[in-house]
Amino acid sequence: MEKASRRYHEGITPEGVEYLTGRGISPEMIERFRLGVVSDPLPGHEKYQGKLCIPYLTKYGAVTLRFRRLGESGEKYLTMPGDIPRIFNPQALERGTRGICVTEGELDCIIAEMCDLPCIGLPGATSWQPVWAYLLEQYDQVMLLQDDDEAGEKMATALGKPLRSNLRPVIMNGGDVNSFFQENGREALRGKVIAA
């Protein structure tokens, strides 16, 4: 995974950079999260050709990769066969903060981090694993930056029961973290979360 994530980051295409910066993700965050594009696939990765590569980084290196389409055709996200659901950006759990944000998706998590909001991402609205509640019970507040759709409601329901004492849903009116950030900016997103 480490070799693949570095190779795809180094091979990021202008189309990949344009896609990410068009979503408001800065070049520094592209570098920090080692985002890339599968332009020269390793053996077994041929089906990810041309896709955005999102490595799940830990202090020990990349533990898995997810892939996202850059255009409108094909599956939106692809996970490696046999992979288990994991937390994206688990380093945020080690910062010793009193609150943490949770997003549905890696790119929304990156936007929150770019706005200085400690954040972890879950790989989809239905990916919640009950054991993760033990990681989040230490926080005074767990701010769910909730997508304003049916999937966001499902995610809020899944987290609501195990985190009922510290969960604070923050609905991203009309979209998700990324669309809210693009329409309203950094300070508006921070203000919305801090007011929760």
Side-chain angles (χ1 to χ4, degrees):
M1 296 302 157
E2 185 68 12
K3 177 182 176 183
S5 72
R6 291 190 182 280
R7 177 176 182 148
Y8 301 148
H9 174 65
E10 290 167 7
I12 194 166
T13 62
E15 179 187 24
V17 172
E18 181 181 349
Y19 173 80
L20 292 166
T21 56
R23 293 181 62 112
I25 296 174
S26 69
E28 293 79 19
M29 296 308 253
I30 293 171
E31 188 69 28
R32 175 179 158 187
F33 287 95
R34 208 186 296 162
L35 303 174
V37 171
V38 184
S39 50
D40 182 19
L42 289 169
H45 289 183
E46 293 82 5
K47 70 179 179 179
Y48 308 122
Q49 175 85 37
K51 302 227 178 325
L52 182 69
C53 175
I54 305 168
Y56 274 52
L57 302 175
T58 70
K59 59 186 171 186
Y60 305 107
V63 293
T64 195
L65 307 172
R66 282 192 84 210
F67 304 91
R68 190 193 195 288
R69 72 176 185 222
L70 291 174
E72 294 303 314
S73 62
E75 291 183 72
K76 190 172 182 180
Y77 282 95
L78 293 172
T79 301
M80 300 189 74
D83 202 9
I84 59 170
R86 300 171 195 267
I87 290 175
F88 179 77
N89 193 36
Q91 299 89 321
L93 297 167
E94 300 174 6
R95 291 193 196 138
T97 58
R98 305 278 312 257
I100 193 159
C101 297
V102 179
T103 63
E104 174 196 339
E106 302 89 354
L107 299 183
D108 283 346
C109 176
I110 292 170
I111 291 288
E113 283 280 335
M114 195 170 76
C115 295
D116 294 321
L117 296 166
C119 189
I120 59 171
L122 305 184
T126 59
S127 64
W128 174 256
Q129 304 296 303
V131 70
W132 293 343
Y134 295 110
L135 298 171
L136 298 177
E137 66 186 10
Q138 66 182 305
Y139 295 97
D140 293 340
Q141 291 189 332
V142 176
M143 283 77 65
L144 171 60
L145 309 188
Q146 181 182 333
D147 290 7
D148 192 9
D149 59 13
E150 187 178 330
E153 284 291 329
K154 286 182 182 177
M155 189 167 176
T157 300
L159 275 67
K161 198 170 195 177
L163 301 175
R164 65 180 160 267
S165 65
N166 61 354
L167 185 68
R168 305 288 182 271
V170 183
I171 300 173
M172 297 292 120
N173 305 92
D176 59 13
V177 173
N178 187 262
S179 62
F180 186 89
F181 170 78
Q182 289 195 55
E183 289 170 21
N184 302 285
R186 177 185 191 276
E187 293 311 314
L189 178 60
R190 284 182 52 78
K192 186 173 182 69
V193 172
I194 291 167

